Amino acid sequence: MSASESAAAEIRSERDDAGNHLLSLVGRLDSDTTGGVWREAMRLTAGRHAEPLVVDTSGLVFCDGAGASLLLALRQQQESAGGSFSLRGLQEETRQLLALIEPSEAEAEEPSPARESFVTALGRDTLQLLADMRLLVAFVGEVTVQLW
């Protein structure tokens, strides 16, 4: 087997016995091979989010961060569209890699606070300016009384 054949990754799409959309990944899923598989996986899953998606990884002989990112992207795409997602045949090394790169809920980006409107900011700043002016007038008045 040549180096290019051993580095190849394949993706197959079919229905499993339960009627789920089954994607089977075979070979090496690394930074050199993931790009093509990624495009094909997105093409195969486009518009099929109502169907449960099962990704069978038992045929993978290697999976690096690029491959793990593909698995997470498939899950995110499926779940954000309201579909279900599951992994089948996941090796322990890949499971650990997914746990390392998967964003936790604590790391999820918090929504930024609502931006204050111009009118609200103008009103707040005007009130602060008036309060400062009041203090300055009072200070000048007290100094003037003390000097006379």
Side-chain angles (χ1 to χ4, degrees):
M1 183 183 294
S2 71
S4 63
E5 289 174 334
S6 65
E10 295 178 30
I11 184 169
R12 286 176 256 175
S13 176
E14 56 191 326
R15 289 214 175 278
D16 66 8
D17 295 336
N20 300 317
H21 182 199
L22 176 66
L23 288 182
S24 299
L25 298 170
V26 178
R28 288 183 60 90
L29 205 50
D30 58 25
S31 60
D32 292 329
T33 62
T34 299
V37 172
W38 193 306
R39 286 186 292 280
E40 184 66 8
M42 294 302 159
R43 186 188 69 76
L44 290 169
T45 58
R48 299 177 76 170
H49 305 296
E51 303 173 13
L53 177 62
V54 177
V55 178
D56 182 4
T57 62
S58 61
L60 289 178
V61 294
F62 178 80
C63 182
D64 70 1
S69 294
L70 167 62
L71 298 175
L72 292 175
L74 284 169
R75 185 184 78 192
Q76 191 276 331
Q77 176 186 10
Q78 188 71 11
E79 291 177 350
S80 68
S84 67
F85 176 86
S86 62
L87 289 169
R88 184 184 296 168
L90 194 61
Q91 296 177 10
E92 185 57 31
E93 295 86 10
T94 306
R95 185 179 315 279
Q96 291 173 359
L97 183 58
L98 285 172
L100 284 174
I101 66 172
E102 183 175 23
S104 68
E105 289 182 24
E107 294 172 343
E109 186 176 319
E110 295 181 20
S112 60
R115 188 172 173 180
E116 188 175 50
S117 74
F118 172 75
V119 174
T120 303
L122 180 63
R124 185 195 66 240
D125 292 345
T126 301
L127 287 174
Q128 185 61 50
L129 180 64
L130 291 173
D132 291 346
M133 286 176 54
R134 180 179 164 269
L135 290 173
L136 284 172
V137 169
F139 173 75
V140 170
E142 288 179 23
V143 169
T144 303
V145 167
Q146 293 299 320
L147 290 176
W148 280 350

